[in-house]
Amino acid sequence: MPPTGITEADHVVVIQLTDSHLFADPAARLLGLDTHASLQAVIDDVLANQSRIDRVLATGDITQDGSESGYRRFIAAVERLPAPCHWIPGNHDDAVLMETLGRPTGLWQDWIDVGSWRIVMLDSSVAGSVAGHFGEQQFARLDAALSSAGDRHVMVCLHHHPVSIGSDWMEPLGLRNGQRLLARLDGADQVKVVLWGHIHQQLDERRGNLRLLATPSTCVQFAEHSTDFATDTLAPGYRWLKLFNDGRIETGVIRLAAGSFLPEEGASGY
């Protein structure tokens, strides 16, 4: 039941899954971790603890190897959830293949209108690059989404972090023209939140009236504020968001039980 004073008509519920890093080979592991099993365990938690879901957002690095089999394994996993899923690519993904698979099914959309909100899905991936960048096509998509949003509140989704996260090794691996994106959003009052993945850790900051959110991976976690690549012992997780009709946001991160799905100690080569 919703809390007193809140009805289902007041808001929509969004679940973010990110950085699942699936493989074509079911036996493959990422830093010793079974990414398919951890994704399924996260989905089990969503099903057990989220009584209502209106949309599922998958914010990149769906696969580790860009394989069609990996994407189909992801699709089969999220079909367990009772809401439509929409995805965007990350640096490990094949964006062309994701669009080919996703356009006919609704997985790939430029934006989604749900309740009083518009969710804009931007592609920050660059073929052959770990870092992200928005080309003119993505800025045009953003401009089109904002100019046609009407009275809707807006959430912008991408894979790469557009701000510094205080981690030296990840500093050059974010959105290379993040400041241009943020400058564009500074002038768009209807944009309330920017949501991303990529950093395999939790973040919740503000830039003026703009909420900046990042979410743990459904598999391996990265240590915060690290100079060099380092994993963490925190468990995989996901983010829930309540997007209210008046533009307010409630959100939180839920993780699996402590000690679940740890990478091999000292594993590297990500």
Side-chain angles (χ1 to χ4, degrees):
M1 294 291 293
T4 302
I6 296 178
T7 68
E8 288 193 356
D10 290 331
H11 65 280
V12 295
V13 178
V14 174
I15 300 297
Q16 181 196 12
L17 306 174
T18 196
D19 296 271
S20 51
H21 290 273
L22 301 185
F23 295 86
D25 180 1
R29 301 292 184 267
L30 179 66
L31 304 177
L33 189 151
D34 184 339
T35 58
H36 186 260
S38 65
L39 173 62
Q40 295 286 11
V42 167
I43 290 175
D44 287 343
D45 192 286
V46 174
L47 289 169
N49 292 297
Q50 303 298 325
S51 60
R52 175 187 171 197
I53 309 170
D54 295 297
R55 287 292 189 275
V56 178
L57 305 178
T59 51
D61 283 357
I62 309 300
T63 67
Q64 174 72 6
D65 57 8
S67 64
E68 181 171 346
S69 295
Y71 293 120
R72 295 201 180 279
R73 297 178 80 204
F74 180 84
I75 291 169
V78 296
E79 282 179 345
R80 298 172 55 207
L81 295 169
C85 180
H86 312 288
W87 66 14
I88 50 177
N91 49 286
H92 285 275
D93 286 313
D94 182 330
V96 174
L97 178 56
M98 284 181 65
E99 183 171 6
T100 299
L101 294 173
R103 281 285 185 196
T105 61
L107 274 163
W108 184 289
Q109 295 196 41
D110 293 347
W111 58 76
I112 308 105
D113 291 335
V114 55
S116 297
W117 285 76
R118 171 163 289 183
I119 301 171
V120 185
M121 307 292 282
L122 298 178
D123 178 3
S124 61
S125 68
V126 178
S129 171
V130 178
H133 184 269
F134 279 152
E136 294 307 318
Q137 182 180 3
Q138 296 304 308
F139 281 108
R141 179 187 299 183
L142 176 61
D143 287 343
L146 297 183
S147 65
S148 63
D151 293 332
R152 294 183 182 91
H153 312 291
V154 176
M155 177 165 68
V156 173
C157 301
L158 68 157
H159 180 68
H160 293 83
H161 50 293
V163 297
S164 174
I165 62 167
S167 180
D168 290 348
W169 73 275
M170 291 206 78
E171 191 69 22
L173 303 181
L175 186 69
R176 292 196 299 263
N177 52 350
Q179 287 305 307
R180 180 180 172 189
L181 171 65
L182 294 172
R184 175 66 182 88
L185 299 181
D186 285 341
D189 291 340
Q190 73 266 52
V191 181
K192 307 299 183 184
V193 57
V194 182
L195 181 71
W196 66 85
H198 190 53
I199 65 175
H200 290 232
Q201 58 194 253
Q202 182 176 350
L203 182 143
D204 187 343
E205 296 180 351
R206 287 191 178 274
R207 174 187 171 94
N209 294 323
L210 192 63
R211 193 89 171 262
L212 305 175
L213 299 172
T215 298
S217 166
T218 64
C219 59
V220 173
Q221 308 304 300
F222 294 163
E224 296 182 8
H225 308 297
S226 53
T227 300
D228 300 311
F229 174 83
T231 58
D232 206 328
T233 57
L234 292 171
Y238 65 96
R239 179 178 292 280
W240 60 266
L241 303 101
K242 291 182 179 179
L243 308 179
F244 288 86
N245 293 347
D246 61 5
R248 291 181 298 116
I249 303 159
E250 291 181 4
T251 187
V253 164
I254 296 179
R255 294 183 184 269
L256 301 181
S260 302
F261 295 101
L262 298 180
E264 291 179 351
E265 187 174 351
S268 61
Y270 168 83

